[in-house]
């Protein structure tokens, strides 16, 4: 990794803004609209271990970096989450504010001359002075969980908390939270999106296969993040743009954030100042850039490159119409799977001294290291290569038998107990054995596709067809860790998942939110035949659709059969013929 030993201030001449708007504005030669290359770089912080370098962390392939930033006049503050500090640049020099109260700070804003922060999986907001002194605490609004939070901000001198479903809470003079408004957003993949914020209704066209996330508003504009999906493929690949619209729905300007070369993706990638200036934070391999993009009405899209990448990593066996066998690969309903996932997340257990031994190659989860037993914990500890659990009593029995609680190294040890990511998914689905990540990608379940000339599939973006308790898996994907997660829900472009993970030192089963960009490269899969909505009787392959199914095909395409002639054939790689209506596969042409 290239290292530069001091903060650098760089100015790039702004490019001329040109007119013409479209759903996805194409860029003319010479105009990139890129948040790094078509921007003024306000601050650069090299990544490294020394004091004047920003903290990056790679642990067991997980990558973590700064999560938030603030621009206030000539002052820039970066939340160095890895080193638990705030790095402040005052226009001339750097200074550092230690955060002794936090372990994994994720949200930050500046309010009443203090920094307000929320640590990972906490429901307390910490008020920190410029010297690092704790000046007070505030609980988040009653009824909210950490996973509900989208951002913490100072809006016109008022401390506000924005949720992933666009509820805005404001702190009043009595230090009590009040629901200020609920920003309603059309939550769909359709090109037209409607935003209703503070009495203003804005209709914008974000283009095909897009999701939009409300970010902020001012007196005369609205800021949204737009994720455009590579269509058809059962893999998440998205391009992210930040767009500024007036309240007539006209595009003022936009910038594209190229995540293809990102080291990590921060929780807060964009910041809007009081004068409506947009700033971005990009975490590249060499370090962190804070930029002021030149908002353009066109930008140079990378979607074709992302599509090429998606097809490159897809095995040839996947490059055909989506097919699901009639057999659902779990005996459980989706609600039962969700209950088992919650049971693992909320499981209460007691750590004793017998569960803290560290055989060679074993590393205890971070939340266990250094504690004095006995102590109660909630959530099954992460344990790489764990044995299969049919129920959580198996885990409790292992503890009673003196096995070590968890192991976050890549060294399997039979004297440890807990769940890794694939073990958690296998447990939740009650698969009968521990299906490793590679098996979850290649052998278990069915790939979920978008529309490929099949009018019964609801959308070109495959992600639109995900249902509760389907799963996502990354295996042997450049830039991603091998990992498996359960899909729970989506609110605009924020996804709620269940998983067992080592990311951010969580080291246990959890339920959390991620943005779409952080799961680029994941395959979309399900263990449920035909979306779990129909009782298919034919023993060959069936194509998924969300509204109907040819139940008694018997090699025909009608509800009472109909014969070979009614199939509409699609020629797959390898020469097999697949019916685009029911998915029946016939070898050869």
């Amino acid at each position: 990794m290239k290292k530069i030993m001091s903060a650098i201030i760089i100015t790039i001449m702004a490019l001329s803004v040109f007119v013409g708007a479209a759903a996805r504005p194409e860029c003319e030669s010479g105009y990139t609209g890129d948040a790094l290359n078509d921007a003024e770089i306000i601050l650069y912080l090299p990544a490294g271990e020394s004091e004047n370098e920003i903290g990056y962390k790679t642990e067991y392939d997980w990558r973590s970096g700064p999560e938030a930033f603030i621009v206030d006049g000539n002052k820039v503050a970066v939340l160095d989450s890895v080193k638990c500090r705030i790095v402040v640049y005052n226009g001339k020099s750097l200074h550092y504010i230690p955060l002794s109260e936090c372990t994994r700070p994720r949200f930050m804003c500046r309010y009443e001359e203090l920094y307000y922060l929320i640590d990972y999986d906490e429901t307390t907001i910490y008020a920190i002075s410029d010297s690092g002194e704790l000046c007070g605490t505030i609980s988040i609004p009653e009824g909210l969980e950490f996973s509900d939070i989208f951002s913490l901000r100072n809006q016109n001198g008022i401390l506000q908390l924005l949720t992933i479903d666009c509820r805005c809470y404001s702190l009043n003079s009595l230090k009590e939270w009040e629901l200020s408004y609920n920003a309603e957003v059309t939550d769909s993949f359709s090109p037209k999106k409607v935003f209703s914020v503070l009495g203003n209704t804005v209709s914008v066209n974000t283009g095909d296969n897009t999701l939009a996330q409300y970010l902020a508003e001012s007196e005369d504009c609205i800021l949204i993040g737009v994720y455009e999906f590579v269509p058809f493929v059962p893999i998440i690949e998205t391009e992210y743009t930040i767009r500024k619209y007036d309240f007539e729905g006209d595009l003022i300007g936009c910038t594209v954030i190229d995540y293809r070369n990102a080291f990590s993706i921060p929780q807060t990638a964009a910041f809007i100042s009081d004068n409506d200036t947009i700033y971005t934070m990009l975490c590249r391999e060499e370090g962190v850039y804070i930029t002021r993009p030149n908002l353009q009405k066109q930008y140079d899209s990378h979607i074709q490159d992302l599509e090429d990448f998606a097809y490159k990593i897809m095995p040839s066996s996947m490059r055909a119409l989506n097919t699901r066998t009639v057999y659902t690969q779990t005996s459980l309903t989706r609600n039962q799977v969700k209950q088992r996932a919650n049971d693992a997340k909320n499981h209460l257990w007691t750590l004793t001294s017998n569960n803290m031994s560290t055989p060679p190659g074993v590393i205890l989860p971070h939340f266990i290291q250094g504690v004095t037993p006995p102590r109660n914990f909630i959530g099954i500890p992460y344990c790489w290569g764990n044995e299969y659990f049919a129920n959580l009593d198996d885990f409790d029995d292992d503890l009673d038998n003196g096995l070590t609680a968890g192991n976050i190294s890549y060294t399997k040890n039979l004297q440890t107990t807990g769940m890794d990511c694939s073990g958690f998914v296998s447990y939740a689905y009650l698969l009968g054995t521990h299906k490793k990540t590679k098996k979850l990608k290649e052998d278990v379940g069915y790939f979920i596709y978008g529309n490929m000339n099949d009018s019964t599939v609801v959308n070109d973006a495959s992600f639109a067809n995900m249902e509760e308790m389907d799963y996502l898996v990354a295996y042997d994907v450049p830039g991603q860790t091998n990992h498996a997660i359960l899909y729970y829900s989506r609110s605009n472009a924020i996804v709620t998942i269940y998983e067992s993970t080592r990311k951010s030192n969580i080291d246990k089963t959890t339920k959390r939110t991620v943005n779409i960009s952080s799961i680029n490269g994941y395959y979309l899969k399900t263990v449920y035949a035909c979306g779990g909505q129909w009782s298919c009787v034919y023993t060959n392959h069936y194509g998924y659709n969300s509204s109907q199914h040819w139940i008694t095909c018997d090699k025909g395409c009608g509800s009472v059969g109909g014969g070979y002639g009614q199939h509409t054939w699609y020629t797959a790689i390898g020469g097999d013929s697949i019916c685009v209506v029911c998915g029946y596969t016939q070898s050869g042409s």
Side-chain angles (χ1 to χ4, degrees), residues 385-421:
N386 68 286
E387 299 301 306
Y388 175 71
F389 292 151
N391 57 68
L392 299 181
D393 290 341
D394 297 339
F395 169 71
D396 293 334
D397 290 343
D398 284 348
L399 293 178
D400 291 341
N401 291 328
L403 269 63
T404 297
N407 177 20
I408 60 173
S409 78
Y410 272 141
T411 303
K412 182 175 180 177
N413 190 299
L414 296 180
Q415 296 304 306
T416 60
T417 185
M419 290 181 180
D420 63 12
C421 63

mmCIF file of all heavy atoms in Angstrom, residues 385-421:
data_model
loop_
_atom_site.group_PDB
_atom_site.id
_atom_site.type_symbol
_atom_site.label_atom_id
_atom_site.label_comp_id
_atom_site.label_asym_id
_atom_site.label_seq_id
_atom_site.Cartn_x
_atom_site.Cartn_y
_atom_site.Cartn_z
ATOM 1 N N GLY A 385 -15.474 -22.534 11.479
ATOM 2 C CA GLY A 385 -15.486 -23.972 11.232
ATOM 3 C C GLY A 385 -16.230 -24.772 12.271
ATOM 4 O O GLY A 385 -15.924 -25.947 12.496
ATOM 5 N N ASN A 386 -17.232 -24.141 12.910
ATOM 6 C CA ASN A 386 -17.933 -24.819 13.997
ATOM 7 C C ASN A 386 -18.692 -26.064 13.529
ATOM 8 O O ASN A 386 -18.993 -26.219 12.343
ATOM 9 C CB ASN A 386 -18.925 -23.850 14.650
ATOM 10 C CG ASN A 386 -20.084 -23.487 13.717
ATOM 11 O OD1 ASN A 386 -19.902 -22.728 12.776
ATOM 12 N ND2 ASN A 386 -21.266 -24.021 13.981
ATOM 13 N N GLU A 387 -19.008 -26.919 14.481
ATOM 14 C CA GLU A 387 -19.847 -28.079 14.191
ATOM 15 C C GLU A 387 -21.294 -27.621 14.001
ATOM 16 O O GLU A 387 -21.688 -26.545 14.456
ATOM 17 C CB GLU A 387 -19.760 -29.105 15.323
ATOM 18 C CG GLU A 387 -18.354 -29.660 15.542
ATOM 19 C CD GLU A 387 -17.815 -30.336 14.301
ATOM 20 O OE1 GLU A 387 -18.485 -31.232 13.764
ATOM 21 O OE2 GLU A 387 -16.708 -29.953 13.854
ATOM 22 N N TYR A 388 -22.105 -28.438 13.358
ATOM 23 C CA TYR A 388 -23.501 -28.080 13.074
ATOM 24 C C TYR A 388 -24.340 -28.122 14.344
ATOM 25 O O TYR A 388 -24.234 -29.054 15.143
ATOM 26 C CB TYR A 388 -24.068 -29.048 12.044
ATOM 27 C CG TYR A 388 -25.549 -28.841 11.775
ATOM 28 C CD1 TYR A 388 -25.996 -27.723 11.079
ATOM 29 C CD2 TYR A 388 -26.485 -29.762 12.245
ATOM 30 C CE1 TYR A 388 -27.345 -27.527 10.846
ATOM 31 C CE2 TYR A 388 -27.836 -29.571 12.007
ATOM 32 C CZ TYR A 388 -28.262 -28.451 11.313
ATOM 33 O OH TYR A 388 -29.605 -28.256 11.080
ATOM 34 N N PHE A 389 -25.171 -27.107 14.519
ATOM 35 C CA PHE A 389 -26.145 -27.073 15.606
ATOM 36 C C PHE A 389 -27.546 -27.213 15.026
ATOM 37 O O PHE A 389 -27.971 -26.403 14.195
ATOM 38 C CB PHE A 389 -26.081 -25.733 16.359
ATOM 39 C CG PHE A 389 -24.826 -25.511 17.140
ATOM 40 C CD1 PHE A 389 -24.359 -24.227 17.361
ATOM 41 C CD2 PHE A 389 -24.120 -26.574 17.665
ATOM 42 C CE1 PHE A 389 -23.192 -24.004 18.083
ATOM 43 C CE2 PHE A 389 -22.952 -26.379 18.386
ATOM 44 C CZ PHE A 389 -22.486 -25.089 18.601
ATOM 45 N N ALA A 390 -28.281 -28.217 15.488
ATOM 46 C CA ALA A 390 -29.696 -28.317 15.128
ATOM 47 C C ALA A 390 -30.525 -27.396 16.018
ATOM 48 O O ALA A 390 -31.565 -26.880 15.606
ATOM 49 C CB ALA A 390 -30.185 -29.760 15.258
ATOM 50 N N ASN A 391 -30.061 -27.187 17.242
ATOM 51 C CA ASN A 391 -30.739 -26.266 18.151
ATOM 52 C C ASN A 391 -29.698 -25.677 19.088
ATOM 53 O O ASN A 391 -28.550 -26.143 19.164
ATOM 54 C CB ASN A 391 -31.860 -26.965 18.925
ATOM 55 C CG ASN A 391 -31.355 -28.166 19.700
ATOM 56 O OD1 ASN A 391 -30.607 -28.011 20.666
ATOM 57 N ND2 ASN A 391 -31.737 -29.372 19.275
ATOM 58 N N LEU A 392 -30.089 -24.657 19.836
ATOM 59 C CA LEU A 392 -29.126 -23.925 20.664
ATOM 60 C C LEU A 392 -28.755 -24.670 21.934
ATOM 61 O O LEU A 392 -27.770 -24.308 22.598
ATOM 62 C CB LEU A 392 -29.686 -22.538 20.989
ATOM 63 C CG LEU A 392 -29.952 -21.650 19.758
ATOM 64 C CD1 LEU A 392 -30.484 -20.292 20.183
ATOM 65 C CD2 LEU A 392 -28.698 -21.492 18.914
ATOM 66 N N ASP A 393 -29.512 -25.709 22.262
ATOM 67 C CA ASP A 393 -29.112 -26.537 23.401
ATOM 68 C C ASP A 393 -27.748 -27.180 23.141
ATOM 69 O O ASP A 393 -26.984 -27.431 24.082
ATOM 70 C CB ASP A 393 -30.159 -27.626 23.661
ATOM 71 C CG ASP A 393 -31.460 -27.059 24.205
ATOM 72 O OD1 ASP A 393 -31.433 -25.921 24.711
ATOM 73 O OD2 ASP A 393 -32.498 -27.746 24.113
ATOM 74 N N ASP A 394 -27.442 -27.463 21.864
ATOM 75 C CA ASP A 394 -26.140 -28.046 21.529
ATOM 76 C C ASP A 394 -25.006 -27.104 21.935
ATOM 77 O O ASP A 394 -23.960 -27.542 22.426
ATOM 78 C CB ASP A 394 -26.056 -28.333 20.024
ATOM 79 C CG ASP A 394 -27.072 -29.367 19.571
ATOM 80 O OD1 ASP A 394 -27.558 -30.132 20.428
ATOM 81 O OD2 ASP A 394 -27.388 -29.400 18.363
ATOM 82 N N PHE A 395 -25.199 -25.812 21.713
ATOM 83 C CA PHE A 395 -24.192 -24.826 22.110
ATOM 84 C C PHE A 395 -24.046 -24.777 23.626
ATOM 85 O O PHE A 395 -22.920 -24.780 24.161
ATOM 86 C CB PHE A 395 -24.574 -23.454 21.572
ATOM 87 C CG PHE A 395 -23.774 -22.314 22.127
ATOM 88 C CD1 PHE A 395 -22.456 -22.136 21.771
ATOM 89 C CD2 PHE A 395 -24.340 -21.422 23.034
ATOM 90 C CE1 PHE A 395 -21.697 -21.093 22.296
ATOM 91 C CE2 PHE A 395 -23.602 -20.372 23.558
ATOM 92 C CZ PHE A 395 -22.280 -20.213 23.184
ATOM 93 N N ASP A 396 -25.177 -24.767 24.339
ATOM 94 C CA ASP A 396 -25.126 -24.732 25.804
ATOM 95 C C ASP A 396 -24.436 -25.975 26.358
ATOM 96 O O ASP A 396 -23.672 -25.893 27.329
ATOM 97 C CB ASP A 396 -26.537 -24.617 26.374
ATOM 98 C CG ASP A 396 -27.192 -23.285 26.043
ATOM 99 O OD1 ASP A 396 -26.455 -22.295 25.834
ATOM 100 O OD2 ASP A 396 -28.425 -23.228 25.968
ATOM 101 N N ASP A 397 -24.705 -27.123 25.741
ATOM 102 C CA ASP A 397 -24.044 -28.358 26.186
ATOM 103 C C ASP A 397 -22.538 -28.274 25.985
ATOM 104 O O ASP A 397 -21.765 -28.742 26.833
ATOM 105 C CB ASP A 397 -24.604 -29.556 25.415
ATOM 106 C CG ASP A 397 -26.038 -29.890 25.799
ATOM 107 O OD1 ASP A 397 -26.501 -29.427 26.860
ATOM 108 O OD2 ASP A 397 -26.708 -30.611 25.024
ATOM 109 N N ASP A 398 -22.122 -27.684 24.867
ATOM 110 C CA ASP A 398 -20.682 -27.522 24.620
ATOM 111 C C ASP A 398 -20.035 -26.676 25.711
ATOM 112 O O ASP A 398 -18.923 -26.974 26.184
ATOM 113 C CB ASP A 398 -20.442 -26.867 23.261
ATOM 114 C CG ASP A 398 -20.654 -27.826 22.100
ATOM 115 O OD1 ASP A 398 -20.770 -29.039 22.347
ATOM 116 O OD2 ASP A 398 -20.697 -27.354 20.946
ATOM 117 N N LEU A 399 -20.723 -25.602 26.128
ATOM 118 C CA LEU A 399 -20.183 -24.757 27.196
ATOM 119 C C LEU A 399 -20.087 -25.541 28.495
ATOM 120 O O LEU A 399 -19.082 -25.455 29.223
ATOM 121 C CB LEU A 399 -21.069 -23.526 27.381
ATOM 122 C CG LEU A 399 -21.104 -22.508 26.245
ATOM 123 C CD1 LEU A 399 -22.089 -21.381 26.591
ATOM 124 C CD2 LEU A 399 -19.734 -21.923 25.958
ATOM 125 N N ASP A 400 -21.129 -26.301 28.812
ATOM 126 C CA ASP A 400 -21.120 -27.100 30.040
ATOM 127 C C ASP A 400 -19.987 -28.115 30.031
ATOM 128 O O ASP A 400 -19.453 -28.479 31.093
ATOM 129 C CB ASP A 400 -22.460 -27.819 30.212
ATOM 130 C CG ASP A 400 -23.605 -26.866 30.523
ATOM 131 O OD1 ASP A 400 -23.313 -25.731 30.947
ATOM 132 O OD2 ASP A 400 -24.767 -27.253 30.325
ATOM 133 N N ASN A 401 -19.605 -28.563 28.833
ATOM 134 C CA ASN A 401 -18.528 -29.543 28.707
ATOM 135 C C ASN A 401 -17.146 -28.895 28.642
ATOM 136 O O ASN A 401 -16.146 -29.580 28.400
ATOM 137 C CB ASN A 401 -18.744 -30.402 27.463
ATOM 138 C CG ASN A 401 -19.936 -31.332 27.605
ATOM 139 O OD1 ASN A 401 -20.250 -31.784 28.711
ATOM 140 N ND2 ASN A 401 -20.609 -31.611 26.494
ATOM 141 N N GLY A 402 -17.092 -27.557 28.843
ATOM 142 C CA GLY A 402 -15.815 -26.870 28.962
ATOM 143 C C GLY A 402 -15.185 -26.423 27.664
ATOM 144 O O GLY A 402 -13.998 -26.050 27.649
ATOM 145 N N LEU A 403 -15.936 -26.429 26.559
ATOM 146 C CA LEU A 403 -15.360 -25.959 25.300
ATOM 147 C C LEU A 403 -15.162 -24.447 25.344
ATOM 148 O O LEU A 403 -15.885 -23.719 26.044
ATOM 149 C CB LEU A 403 -16.257 -26.342 24.121
ATOM 150 C CG LEU A 403 -15.941 -27.699 23.459
ATOM 151 C CD1 LEU A 403 -16.146 -28.846 24.442
ATOM 152 C CD2 LEU A 403 -16.816 -27.899 22.219
ATOM 153 N N THR A 404 -14.194 -23.982 24.588
ATOM 154 C CA THR A 404 -13.892 -22.555 24.522
ATOM 155 C C THR A 404 -14.989 -21.822 23.752
ATOM 156 O O THR A 404 -15.434 -22.278 22.702
ATOM 157 C CB THR A 404 -12.537 -22.322 23.845
ATOM 158 O OG1 THR A 404 -11.520 -22.922 24.627
ATOM 159 C CG2 THR A 404 -12.247 -20.835 23.681
ATOM 160 N N ALA A 405 -15.416 -20.676 24.269
ATOM 161 C CA ALA A 405 -16.492 -19.892 23.652
ATOM 162 C C ALA A 405 -15.935 -19.043 22.517
ATOM 163 O O ALA A 405 -15.328 -18.002 22.745
ATOM 164 C CB ALA A 405 -17.177 -19.015 24.681
ATOM 165 N N GLY A 406 -16.122 -19.522 21.277
ATOM 166 C CA GLY A 406 -15.752 -18.751 20.110
ATOM 167 C C GLY A 406 -14.313 -18.939 19.672
ATOM 168 O O GLY A 406 -13.452 -19.367 20.443
ATOM 169 N N ASN A 407 -14.076 -18.583 18.410
ATOM 170 C CA ASN A 407 -12.727 -18.620 17.827
ATOM 171 C C ASN A 407 -12.754 -17.800 16.553
ATOM 172 O O ASN A 407 -13.395 -18.190 15.575
ATOM 173 C CB ASN A 407 -12.298 -20.056 17.526
ATOM 174 C CG ASN A 407 -10.934 -20.120 16.852
ATOM 175 O OD1 ASN A 407 -10.152 -19.179 16.939
ATOM 176 N ND2 ASN A 407 -10.664 -21.219 16.172
ATOM 177 N N ILE A 408 -12.099 -16.636 16.557
ATOM 178 C CA ILE A 408 -12.173 -15.748 15.396
ATOM 179 C C ILE A 408 -10.972 -15.895 14.468
ATOM 180 O O ILE A 408 -10.814 -15.099 13.536
ATOM 181 C CB ILE A 408 -12.331 -14.275 15.824
ATOM 182 C CG1 ILE A 408 -11.158 -13.814 16.684
ATOM 183 C CG2 ILE A 408 -13.649 -14.075 16.560
ATOM 184 C CD1 ILE A 408 -11.182 -12.317 17.001
ATOM 185 N N SER A 409 -10.137 -16.914 14.704
ATOM 186 C CA SER A 409 -9.044 -17.158 13.776
ATOM 187 C C SER A 409 -9.520 -18.080 12.669
ATOM 188 O O SER A 409 -10.622 -18.628 12.712
ATOM 189 C CB SER A 409 -7.856 -17.788 14.504
ATOM 190 O OG SER A 409 -8.092 -19.174 14.731
ATOM 191 N N TYR A 410 -8.667 -18.267 11.664
ATOM 192 C CA TYR A 410 -8.995 -19.188 10.582
ATOM 193 C C TYR A 410 -8.411 -20.576 10.849
ATOM 194 O O TYR A 410 -8.061 -21.296 9.934
ATOM 195 C CB TYR A 410 -8.452 -18.656 9.252
ATOM 196 C CG TYR A 410 -9.404 -17.738 8.526
ATOM 197 C CD1 TYR A 410 -8.934 -16.617 7.855
ATOM 198 C CD2 TYR A 410 -10.761 -17.993 8.494
ATOM 199 C CE1 TYR A 410 -9.796 -15.772 7.184
ATOM 200 C CE2 TYR A 410 -11.631 -17.159 7.834
ATOM 201 C CZ TYR A 410 -11.143 -16.044 7.175
ATOM 202 O OH TYR A 410 -12.008 -15.214 6.507
ATOM 203 N N THR A 411 -8.307 -20.946 12.112
ATOM 204 C CA THR A 411 -7.791 -22.247 12.496
ATOM 205 C C THR A 411 -8.893 -23.025 13.185
ATOM 206 O O THR A 411 -9.323 -22.657 14.296
ATOM 207 C CB THR A 411 -6.580 -22.109 13.444
ATOM 208 O OG1 THR A 411 -5.572 -21.327 12.804
ATOM 209 C CG2 THR A 411 -6.018 -23.474 13.792
ATOM 210 N N LYS A 412 -9.380 -24.073 12.563
ATOM 211 C CA LYS A 412 -10.452 -24.866 13.162
ATOM 212 C C LYS A 412 -9.911 -25.642 14.356
ATOM 213 O O LYS A 412 -8.847 -26.234 14.299
ATOM 214 C CB LYS A 412 -11.046 -25.827 12.138
ATOM 215 C CG LYS A 412 -12.211 -26.653 12.686
ATOM 216 C CD LYS A 412 -12.849 -27.507 11.608
ATOM 217 C CE LYS A 412 -14.000 -28.323 12.178
ATOM 218 N NZ LYS A 412 -14.701 -29.128 11.142
ATOM 219 N N ASN A 413 -10.671 -25.635 15.450
ATOM 220 C CA ASN A 413 -10.274 -26.361 16.647
ATOM 221 C C ASN A 413 -11.521 -26.986 17.260
ATOM 222 O O ASN A 413 -12.504 -26.284 17.553
ATOM 223 C CB ASN A 413 -9.596 -25.417 17.636
ATOM 224 C CG ASN A 413 -8.956 -26.164 18.800
ATOM 225 O OD1 ASN A 413 -9.632 -26.849 19.568
ATOM 226 N ND2 ASN A 413 -7.642 -26.038 18.927
ATOM 227 N N LEU A 414 -11.501 -28.289 17.460
ATOM 228 C CA LEU A 414 -12.677 -29.004 17.948
ATOM 229 C C LEU A 414 -12.970 -28.736 19.415
ATOM 230 O O LEU A 414 -14.016 -29.171 19.921
ATOM 231 C CB LEU A 414 -12.493 -30.506 17.713
ATOM 232 C CG LEU A 414 -12.402 -30.944 16.253
ATOM 233 C CD1 LEU A 414 -12.221 -32.453 16.160
ATOM 234 C CD2 LEU A 414 -13.639 -30.505 15.472
ATOM 235 N N GLN A 415 -12.081 -28.009 20.090
ATOM 236 C CA GLN A 415 -12.321 -27.661 21.491
ATOM 237 C C GLN A 415 -12.991 -26.293 21.629
ATOM 238 O O GLN A 415 -13.043 -25.732 22.723
ATOM 239 C CB GLN A 415 -10.995 -27.680 22.263
ATOM 240 C CG GLN A 415 -10.348 -29.047 22.328
ATOM 241 C CD GLN A 415 -11.282 -30.096 22.925
ATOM 242 O OE1 GLN A 415 -11.815 -29.913 24.026
ATOM 243 N NE2 GLN A 415 -11.475 -31.191 22.205
ATOM 244 N N THR A 416 -13.504 -25.753 20.533
ATOM 245 C CA THR A 416 -14.197 -24.462 20.549
ATOM 246 C C THR A 416 -15.643 -24.652 20.111
ATOM 247 O O THR A 416 -15.994 -25.648 19.460
ATOM 248 C CB THR A 416 -13.516 -23.452 19.614
ATOM 249 O OG1 THR A 416 -13.545 -23.970 18.266
ATOM 250 C CG2 THR A 416 -12.075 -23.220 20.029
ATOM 251 N N THR A 417 -16.491 -23.681 20.428
ATOM 252 C CA THR A 417 -17.903 -23.773 20.058
ATOM 253 C C THR A 417 -18.452 -22.397 19.721
ATOM 254 O O THR A 417 -17.968 -21.376 20.209
ATOM 255 C CB THR A 417 -18.732 -24.406 21.193
ATOM 256 O OG1 THR A 417 -20.094 -24.595 20.749
ATOM 257 C CG2 THR A 417 -18.739 -23.530 22.444
ATOM 258 N N GLY A 418 -19.459 -22.373 18.884
ATOM 259 C CA GLY A 418 -20.088 -21.139 18.421
ATOM 260 C C GLY A 418 -20.544 -21.316 16.990
ATOM 261 O O GLY A 418 -20.730 -22.449 16.525
ATOM 262 N N MET A 419 -20.728 -20.228 16.267
ATOM 263 C CA MET A 419 -21.216 -20.285 14.893
ATOM 264 C C MET A 419 -20.408 -19.344 14.010
ATOM 265 O O MET A 419 -20.211 -18.170 14.372
ATOM 266 C CB MET A 419 -22.680 -19.849 14.797
ATOM 267 C CG MET A 419 -23.690 -20.788 15.401
ATOM 268 S SD MET A 419 -25.363 -20.126 15.172
ATOM 269 C CE MET A 419 -26.336 -21.408 15.973
ATOM 270 N N ASP A 420 -19.962 -19.817 12.852
ATOM 271 C CA ASP A 420 -19.458 -18.905 11.839
ATOM 272 C C ASP A 420 -20.617 -18.545 10.908
ATOM 273 O O ASP A 420 -21.773 -18.925 11.147
ATOM 274 C CB ASP A 420 -18.256 -19.482 11.100
ATOM 275 C CG ASP A 420 -18.568 -20.755 10.321
ATOM 276 O OD1 ASP A 420 -19.758 -21.091 10.153
ATOM 277 O OD2 ASP A 420 -17.619 -21.416 9.870
ATOM 278 N N CYS A 421 -20.328 -17.812 9.847
ATOM 279 C CA CYS A 421 -21.415 -17.286 9.021
ATOM 280 C C CYS A 421 -22.230 -18.395 8.366
ATOM 281 O O CYS A 421 -23.465 -18.391 8.390
ATOM 282 C CB CYS A 421 -20.870 -16.321 7.965
ATOM 283 S SG CYS A 421 -19.746 -17.064 6.756
#
